[in-house]
Amino acid sequence: MTTPSRTEAPGAAAGAPPPPLLLRAGRSALSARMPTLAVAALLVVTVAASAVLQPNFFSAYSMTASFATFLPLATIAAAQTIIVLAGGIDLSLGTIVTLAAAVSVVLMDGDDARLPLALAAGLATGAACGLVNGLVVAGLRLQPIVATFATSSVFGGAALLVLPQPGGEASPALTETFRMVVALYVPVPAVLLVLLWAAWRLLRRHRFGQYLYAVGGGADAAYTSAVPVSAVRVFSYTAGGLVAALAGVALLADSGAGDPTLGTELTLGSIAALVIGGTRLRGGVGGVGGALVGAVVLSLIQGLVFFAGVPTDAREFVYGCIIIAAIALAGLLTARGARRPAHAGGPR
Amino acid sequence: MGSIPQWRTRRHAFGALAAAGVVLAATACSTPEAGGGDGGEGASDGPFTIGVSNGFIGSEWREQMLSVLEDAFAEYESEGVVDELVVESADVDVNGQIQQIRNLIRSDVDAIIVNPNSPTALDEVFAEAADQGIQIVAIDQAVESEHVTNVVIDQAEWASISAEWLAEEVGEGGEIIAVNGIDGHPANEDRWSGAQQVFEEAGVEVVANDFAEWDQSQGQTVTRDLLSSNPDVDGIFVQDGMALGAMQALQAEGLEDEVAITGEARVGYMKEWDQLRQDNEDFSSIGVPNPPSVSVSALHVVVRMLQGQEFRSDALDGNTLYLPMPETVTDENFDERFAEVEDEPDAYAVDHSITPEEADSYFQ
């Protein structure tokens, strides 16, 4: 719920407020309050820097590899955003990714014919894990940060039971499709990224999408306005778990085989991505669009540190410093626009 | 929240989804071909750029692995065979290591030496690298990908050497406890299956088995716990990286002269071994080196692969080149071996790599 759609295109004029006509056109064209100004600026800067530092940044291989790298982090960032918007947080998302990927890979076992069943089971696993989190947080009223830290051990442990050691092969159809390009140049993961964003726009328009903002913006006020607060919380965790399972499938397609640790380290990255993308950690403000771009920026920065020739031992340090700067920048620029009441109405 | 405009935008979003679907369906899909990089197939004169991907840091063994590699690389560099070593080394999960390898691919390296975090989950990124004409060698832990040549020691054989020594020490019917690495880790499984086979054949009973993640202090804790629940054991089988900790637990119980324990070829443990030998002539131990210089052996091999040499038909077992097992540190050769490494830091592992000439013998 920050500045409206002024910023959906990185190239959009950022200075004076655009004329209402342009604003309206922008709104209806993409109906997009895509990322905030800050993350759009970061995207432009990181893409430009990557183009300069990486010799073949725009080559077909490089584009495919880049988007294949973006997609898992962007997807889990989207999942975390749904939960954070409704005022929660989920530290178990990374292990949900792991568990869903483990269930899928064990069931598909390198066989294309079993792919649909395996995907369905993986997604169902993710949603079920999310449901458990939601019930624990909304039903038992435990602090989300502690409750999901605990369930992360449960899900991580379950992943080890399902897949005790690395193994299991992803179906060839999955890994091959993931590496294709459509229209000669656009990698499939990029298409999936756009579809993810479009799905978010659908949810955003739905009553439950509105409720997410209402509950995250102020649970008491939402309750008195007859918003089913507990149901919305449970829904947000369940939806988050489902989307996290999609990240698991993306990782599986990317790696080609199962591993009982695949994805566990994505949790903190998902939180960093959504903060860079302008979502407020207290809930009620932000959106998935920003988080997706935030994840892309995060991945690009990681690559930049490497291609800038920073020695390997110093890379973590430099990366951390840049992330802090990026988060600070995002905070500075979004704080201004975020003054408006979170859910005061209007689909924006 | 007027319902009509809401419907409108929803229809737009549906439209976008449908349009994306149509694009997907109507456009012929394809897979990007190998880029026109200069890493083509077959022989080349170099100089070659070599990438290194290491997914676990903070262990002295890995540091030694990288520093000896840099030294060996400098030698090839002075000969003009190679020009740049691009190192990616950080604590990452499998996903992070996939990114490491993609960064190396995009840096136009000619070959990648990787210490893999997973035997299978890097398969696809290895295929991507091979597509770009990059040679890949995995060290320390073997991977399954057909695009990779493993340069490793045989972990089962490695473990069976100290297991045989221990079986001899405790005799048939002896009872031992085992302190292993990480449950489910491929190297751990290989080692333990090798050791178990020895114990079974020798009639040695393993009364308890636990895991201490190849960490000295955990090794100490786990050994102490196992000893307190099994005070009457005759021996301890412990993997490297934890033997010093296990020995300290044994000493705390005053059992070091009664319970036999497999040692390790690292300076810290060897110092203790030296002390115990001086105190008690009958003290016996064993240390099978697990050489960090496997990276150097791999460098010798990969340079020859880049120069277009072909493996001899008997050099590989599947896609794996098993390196010769380094000479074991025993009671007989201890003084001599200890003198060689005495001045190194405690964490230093007794090392060994194949010579360039030995590497030549793997090729036609």
Side-chain angles (χ1 to χ4, degrees):
Chain A
M1 305 297 282
T2 57
T3 30
S5 61
R6 260 191 268 166
T7 56
E8 76 267 351
L21 184 66
L22 190 63
L23 186 64
R24 269 224 306 278
R27 274 183 186 174
S28 58
L30 286 164
S31 80
R33 191 200 54 83
M34 257 239 316
T36 64
L37 182 64
V39 75
L42 278 171
L43 183 66
V44 172
V45 171
T46 45
V47 168
S50 302
V52 172
L53 285 174
Q54 294 182 35
N56 311 314
F57 183 67
F58 290 108
S59 76
Y61 169 72
S62 185
M63 287 310 276
T64 309
S66 294
F67 276 99
T69 305
F70 301 155
L71 189 64
L73 181 63
T75 310
I76 190 174
Q80 191 72 268
T81 307
I82 293 171
I83 295 163
V84 167
L85 280 178
I89 194 159
D90 190 344
L91 296 187
S92 73
L93 271 190
T95 52
I96 295 181
V97 171
T98 311
L99 179 57
V103 167
S104 287
V105 80
V106 165
L107 287 177
M108 74 177 76
D109 201 24
D111 184 353
D112 286 342
R114 298 166 68 169
L115 182 60
L117 168 78
L119 289 186
L123 298 185
T125 305
C129 293
L131 182 63
V132 169
N133 280 335
L135 292 176
V136 169
V137 170
L140 302 180
R141 309 219 164 211
L142 298 180
Q143 281 292 326
I145 202 162
V146 183
T148 56
F149 178 68
T151 53
S152 76
S153 299
V154 175
F155 302 147
L160 267 177
L161 289 178
V162 174
L163 190 67
Q165 41 183 305
E169 202 182 316
S171 95
L174 185 66
T175 54
E176 280 162 23
T177 311
F178 195 71
R179 282 170 173 71
M180 284 178 177
V181 292
V182 290
L184 293 176
Y185 191 68
V186 183
V188 165
V191 176
L192 295 174
L193 204 60
V194 173
L195 286 180
L196 186 65
W197 177 75
W200 158 249
R201 294 310 300 177
L202 281 184
L203 174 66
R204 181 75 183 73
R205 295 277 154 251
H206 190 272
R207 196 153 36 94
F208 262 99
Q210 306 279 330
Y211 285 171
L212 291 178
Y213 286 88
V215 170
D220 293 342
Y223 186 76
T224 50
S225 314
V227 173
V229 172
S230 292
V232 170
R233 288 214 168 113
V234 173
F235 167 79
S236 75
Y237 279 97
T238 311
L242 179 69
V243 177
L246 287 173
V249 174
L251 275 182
L252 215 49
D254 200 19
S255 67
D259 190 286
T261 63
L262 199 64
T264 43
E265 288 183 11
L266 287 175
T267 310
L268 292 180
S270 75
I271 297 172
L274 72 87
V275 171
I276 291 177
T279 297
R280 190 176 69 175
L281 273 179
R282 269 176 296 153
V285 173
V288 166
L292 296 181
V293 181
V296 172
V297 167
L298 212 56
S299 298
L300 284 176
I301 292 175
Q302 210 155 27
L304 280 175
V305 176
F306 172 79
F307 284 101
V310 179
T312 182
D313 288 338
R315 255 172 237 158
E316 285 282 302
F317 176 79
V318 174
Y319 177 64
C321 291
I322 297 178
I323 299 303
I324 291 174
I327 291 175
L329 180 66
L332 274 179
L333 290 180
T334 50
R336 261 190 248 155
R339 289 277 153 221
R340 301 194 302 140
H343 54 95
R348 258 320 60 71
Chain B
M1 283 212 248
S3 65
I4 292 168
Q6 199 175 324
W7 247 114
R8 261 241 212 75
T9 41
R10 197 185 295 179
R11 278 228 302 273
H12 280 204
F14 270 126
L17 266 177
V22 168
V23 170
L24 260 178
T27 328
C29 291
S30 60
T31 314
E33 293 298 313
D38 49 13
E41 297 283 319
S44 159
D45 294 333
F48 306 109
T49 304
I50 307 221
V52 178
S53 166
N54 173 43
F56 173 65
I57 54 173
S59 103
E60 296 86 357
W61 195 94
R62 297 281 179 126
E63 278 167 33
Q64 197 174 332
M65 172 190 97
L66 290 175
S67 68
V68 291
L69 176 63
E70 278 162 14
D71 295 344
F73 188 87
E75 240 163 82
Y76 276 113
E77 198 175 1
S78 64
E79 292 165 19
V81 179
V82 293
D83 57 3
E84 198 189 348
L85 186 70
V86 187
V87 181
E88 274 273 56
S89 175
D91 264 327
V92 290
D93 62 0
V94 169
N95 190 41
Q97 194 161 29
I98 290 174
Q99 291 176 39
Q100 282 190 346
I101 294 170
R102 285 200 174 129
N103 283 343
L104 294 174
I105 297 172
R106 286 185 286 196
S107 307
D108 275 338
V109 298
D110 299 296
I112 294 174
I113 297 174
V114 54
N115 190 332
N117 278 6
S118 166
T120 53
L122 298 166
D123 283 8
E124 290 297 324
V125 78
F126 287 147
E128 284 176 24
D131 252 5
Q132 309 286 320
I134 295 171
Q135 304 275 10
I136 313 152
V137 171
I139 55 175
D140 192 25
Q141 179 181 306
V143 299
E144 288 174 12
S145 168
E146 54 177 332
H147 303 293
V148 179
T149 307
N150 300 306
V151 176
V152 293
I153 58 167
D154 184 338
Q155 302 287 0
E157 189 192 342
W158 180 90
S160 69
I161 296 173
S162 36
E164 270 161 24
W165 172 87
L166 185 63
E168 185 100 347
E169 287 284 311
V170 302
E172 194 173 343
E175 292 188 347
I176 63 160
I177 54 177
V179 182
N180 278 308
I182 295 174
D183 193 12
H185 190 289
N188 186 74
E189 301 302 300
D190 286 349
R191 288 173 169 190
W192 185 231
S193 69
Q196 260 182 321
Q197 200 182 343
V198 170
F199 294 139
E200 250 164 57
E201 283 165 12
V204 172
E205 193 191 346
V206 182
V207 293
N209 173 20
D210 209 344
F211 305 91
E213 298 183 6
W214 291 301
D215 178 84
Q216 298 288 9
S217 63
Q218 285 199 53
Q220 188 171 0
T221 316
V222 167
T223 308
R224 191 182 58 214
D225 294 349
L226 288 179
L227 277 176
S228 66
S229 48
N230 305 278
D232 300 325
V233 293
D234 307 299
I236 302 175
F237 175 81
V238 53
Q239 290 189 25
D240 68 333
M242 310 178 286
L244 183 58
M247 171 57 91
Q248 280 158 352
L250 202 56
Q251 286 170 323
E253 304 285 326
L255 290 171
E256 68 270 21
D257 292 331
E258 281 127 65
V259 177
I261 176 171
T262 60
E264 65 190 13
R266 299 193 186 195
V267 171
Y269 180 85
M270 289 168 81
K271 281 182 180 162
E272 201 59 50
W273 187 347
D274 185 49
Q275 193 64 44
L276 287 161
R277 265 165 80 89
Q278 287 171 18
D279 298 347
N280 172 9
E281 275 177 23
D282 294 334
F283 180 80
S284 172
S285 192
I286 187 170
V288 188
N290 175 21
S293 282
V294 63
S295 57
V296 175
S297 303
L299 180 67
H300 293 322
V301 169
V302 83
V303 163
R304 280 153 186 79
M305 287 164 71
L306 285 171
Q307 288 168 335
Q309 300 190 33
E310 296 286 329
F311 280 110
R312 282 170 38 163
S313 56
D314 58 348
L316 297 183
D317 179 357
N319 63 337
T320 301
L321 190 162
Y322 285 113
L323 294 168
M325 199 64 66
E327 191 193 350
T328 302
V329 181
T330 60
D331 296 320
E332 287 72 41
N333 67 16
F334 179 81
D335 290 330
E336 184 192 332
R337 301 296 298 274
F338 183 52
E340 290 167 8
V341 295
E342 202 172 355
D343 300 328
E344 301 283 351
D346 279 5
Y348 182 86
V350 171
D351 217 344
H352 173 263
S353 69
I354 58 171
T355 61
E357 292 71 33
E358 282 170 317
D360 283 333
S361 72
Y362 293 122
F363 292 89
Q364 288 168 5

